[in-house]
Amino acid sequence: MKKTIALLPGDGIGKEVVDVTVEVLKAVAEHFQHQFNFNYGLIGGDAIDQKGNPLPEETLEICRNSDAIILGAVGGPKWDNNPVELRPERGLLALRKALDLFANLRPIKTFDSLLDSSPLKKEYVNGVDFIIVRELTGGLYFGKPSERIVHEGQEAVVDTLLYKRSEIERILVSAFEMAQNRRKHVTSVDKANVLESSRVWREVAEEVSKRYPDVELEHMLVDNAAMQLIRSPKQFDVIVTENMFGDILSDEASMITGSLGMLSSASLSSDGLHLYEPVHGSAPDIAGKNIANPIATVLSAAMMLRQSFGLEEEAKAIEKAVDNVLNSGLRTADLTEAGKAVSTKRIGEEIISALADDREIIKIMNTYS
Ligand SMILES: NC(=O)c1ccc[n+]([C@@H]2O[C@H](COP(=O)([O-])OP(=O)(O)OC[C@H]3O[C@@H](n4cnc5c(N)ncnc54)[C@H](O)[C@@H]3O)[C@@H](O)[C@H]2O)c1
Ligand SMILES: CC(C)[C@H](C(=O)O)[C@@H](O)C(=O)O
Ligand SMILES: [Mg+2]
C-alpha cells in the first residue's frame, strides 16, 4: 500500500517522539511491504520563528495533500508571552478547525505490565478499557467574543462557550456509534446543573440515544466524573463530552495507565482526512534530554494505520511490539524510578526490534503451516 503521511513534529518533545514514530513506521513499511512517504510541515513555535505564523499556509497544503497527519506537540515558554495570534497553540487550534477535526478519540486502556506504575490501586486499574470522545472544534476554545473588555466600568474579560446544536449532535452520534461496537454504554459528561450549553447537550444526548436503543445512556456531571475516574474507572465504556471538559478529564485519566506519555489520540474529520497525536504537550521541562516517553505517539501511529489505512494487522503488530517492550521491563523515566529508566531513542529501537522478532516468528510459522 502506498500512502503519504504529513508529519508535524512541532515543539519540544514533539520532535523527539515523532522521530521515533517515523522510524517505527519505516520498519512497519519494510516488514509489511508498504510505501509510506513522509512530508514534513511546520507548526507551532517553530513555525512562528521561521514563518511568522503558527500555522503557515504551506503546512495546511501539506496536510491536505496527505492521506493522514501525525502531530507531535506545540508550545513552550519561549512563546508564552506572545500576543494571542502568535501563540503556538493557536496553530493547533487553527489546524483542527480548518480540517474540521471534530471528534477526538482518546482511548484509556491499561497495560498489564504497567499496573504498578499507576498511583491508583492495582485492582482498580487492572482491566480498565474506555474511550473519551472529546468534541474538538467548538465550545470555549472557539467562541467569540474572547477578549478583554470593560464591564460595569471595570477591567473584565470574556470567553464564550458556543455550540451549534448540529455540532453537539454529530459528536454524540460518533460516541453512540462507537459504543455499539464496544460495551454499549455511553456516559455523557456535562455541567447541566449550571450551564445552559450543558442543558442543551443533555437534550441532544437524549434525542440521539433514541436512535440507539441497544446503547445505554447515562448523564454525569463533570465534577462527579472527575472523581469517578479515580474511584472506579472500570465503570466507563465511552465517555462523551465537550471540548474543555474532555481536555481536562483525559489528562486526569492518563494516570490510570501510569503516565500521560502513554495516551494516544485520533482526531477525526467528516471528510476522511484524520490527525493522530499524543494527548500530552511539548513538555518543556524534559525537552531535548532524550528522556520523553514516545509510546503515546507510536500508539497514535497504530491508530492511524487502523483507522485511516485499514491496516489492522500492522496496527496490532505495533501494539504488540509496545506490549513486548513493556513486558521486558524497559521504561522511560515517567514510568519508573530514577536510575532505572532508558532513553526515548532506546524505547524506539526496542519497539522496532520487537516488531522484527514478531515478523520472523510469523514467517517461520507460515512456512510450517
Ligand atoms: N497537543 C499539544 O500540542 C499540546 C498538549 C498539551 C499541552 N501543550 C503545550 O505544551 C506546553 C507544556 O504544557 P504542560 O507542561 O502543561 O503539559 P505537558 O503535557 O507538555 O507536560 C505535563 C507533564 O507531563 C510530562 N510529560 C508529558 N508528556 C510526556 C512524555 N511523553 N514523556 C514523559 N513525560 C511527559 C511533562 O514532563 C510534564 O511534567 C504548553 O505550551 C502547552 O500549551 C500542547
Ligand atoms: C495545546 C492545547 C491547545 C491542547 C488542547 O487544549 O486541546 C492540548 O491540551 C490537547 O489536549 O490537545
Ligand atoms: Mg490537553
Side-chain angles (χ1 to χ4, degrees):
M1 185 180 280
K2 207 168 159 180
K3 291 289 177 194
T4 300
I5 301 164
L7 296 173
L8 313 181
D11 307 312
I13 64 165
K15 293 187 202 322
E16 299 167 55
V17 295
V18 169
D19 278 353
V20 166
T21 304
V22 171
E23 293 309 315
V24 171
L25 283 171
K26 283 182 184 164
V28 169
E30 193 190 320
H31 294 313
F32 291 87
Q33 307 283 295
H34 298 304
Q35 191 184 326
F36 296 150
N37 298 320
F38 300 107
N39 281 340
Y40 281 85
L42 291 169
I43 193 164
D46 252 9
I48 295 169
D49 290 351
Q50 293 183 46
K51 302 281 175 183
N53 179 350
L55 181 65
E57 191 51 42
E58 312 79 288
T59 300
L60 259 180
E61 276 311 297
I62 288 171
C63 293
R64 290 198 172 112
N65 291 326
S66 300
D67 299 302
I69 306 156
I70 291 183
L71 183 133
V74 296
K78 181 176 178 195
W79 306 280
D80 276 354
N81 296 321
N82 280 10
V84 70
E85 63 285 1
L86 288 180
R87 297 285 300 267
E89 293 80 359
R90 284 281 136 185
L92 179 56
L93 297 184
L95 181 62
R96 288 172 178 170
K97 198 67 173 177
L99 300 181
D100 198 27
L101 300 163
F102 72 96
N104 183 219
L105 315 183
R106 299 184 157 185
I108 323 287
K109 194 170 177 185
T110 46
F111 281 82
D112 289 348
S113 52
L114 290 184
L115 297 180
D116 286 327
S117 302
S118 174
L120 303 184
K121 279 191 197 138
K122 214 171 168 169
E123 59 267 34
Y124 288 112
V125 298
N126 187 12
V128 166
D129 177 5
F130 66 90
I131 185 157
I132 297 179
V133 179
R134 170 189 177 195
E135 200 294 324
L136 202 60
T137 49
L140 271 174
Y141 280 59
F142 295 95
K144 295 274 181 299
S146 169
E147 62 197 17
R148 290 154 198 255
I149 55 168
V150 175
H151 181 71
E152 296 175 351
Q154 292 193 28
E155 273 187 39
V157 60
V158 57
D159 281 310
T160 303
L161 201 173
L162 181 110
Y163 270 116
K164 284 184 266 184
R165 224 179 155 94
S166 59
E167 292 174 314
I168 301 175
E169 186 181 345
R170 67 178 179 172
I171 193 71
L172 280 153
V173 167
S174 307
F176 275 90
E177 294 281 333
M178 195 153 296
Q180 274 196 318
N181 296 318
R182 295 178 49 98
R183 299 192 305 280
K184 299 187 171 45
H185 189 274
V186 169
T187 309
S188 173
V189 172
D190 62 37
K191 189 73 186 171
N193 52 346
V194 177
L195 299 176
E196 199 53 28
S197 53
S198 284
R199 288 165 59 85
V200 172
W201 183 283
R202 247 180 216 218
E203 278 169 32
V204 177
E206 287 293 333
E207 280 165 26
V208 171
S209 81
K210 294 201 180 85
R211 293 178 228 160
Y212 300 88
D214 53 331
V215 178
E216 194 188 335
L217 168 66
E218 181 189 13
H219 301 285
M220 194 178 279
L221 296 173
V222 64
D223 42 357
N224 182 27
M227 184 276 286
Q228 295 290 345
L229 278 174
I230 304 296
R231 195 181 80 128
S232 65
K234 269 187 250 186
Q235 71 184 282
F236 296 111
D237 178 20
V238 176
I239 293 179
V240 59
T241 191
E242 67 89 48
N243 202 344
M244 172 82 101
F245 296 159
D247 179 43
I248 298 168
L249 292 182
S250 49
D251 268 35
E252 182 193 355
S254 75
M255 288 315 293
I256 296 167
T257 69
S259 169
L260 182 53
M262 292 299 296
L263 235 57
S264 56
S265 90
S267 301
L268 308 183
S269 74
S270 42
D271 69 5
L273 175 58
H274 309 316
L275 179 145
Y276 300 85
E277 57 170 324
V279 168
H280 65 72
S282 59
D285 52 339
I286 58 165
K289 296 182 177 165
N290 190 23
I291 58 172
N293 186 346
I295 292 178
T297 315
V298 171
L299 291 178
S300 301
M303 289 181 89
M304 172 189 77
L305 296 179
R306 175 176 288 120
Q307 181 80 36
S308 284
F309 306 161
L311 297 175
E312 180 63 30
E313 197 194 336
E314 289 80 342
K316 280 210 178 98
I318 292 184
E319 288 158 355
K320 182 149 183 283
V322 167
D323 201 27
N324 287 347
V325 170
L326 293 170
N327 285 338
S328 77
L330 292 174
R331 275 138 186 58
T332 38
D334 51 318
L335 288 168
T336 190
E337 304 152 33
K340 288 195 177 166
V342 300
S343 69
T344 309
K345 285 190 179 144
R346 172 84 191 278
I347 290 286
E349 287 156 9
E350 294 292 335
I351 293 172
I352 289 166
S353 113
L355 262 174
D357 290 349
D358 205 39
R359 296 306 302 160
E360 282 312 308
I361 291 167
I362 291 171
K363 266 193 230 155
I364 294 164
M365 280 167 42
N366 284 345
T367 55
Y368 287 101
S369 61

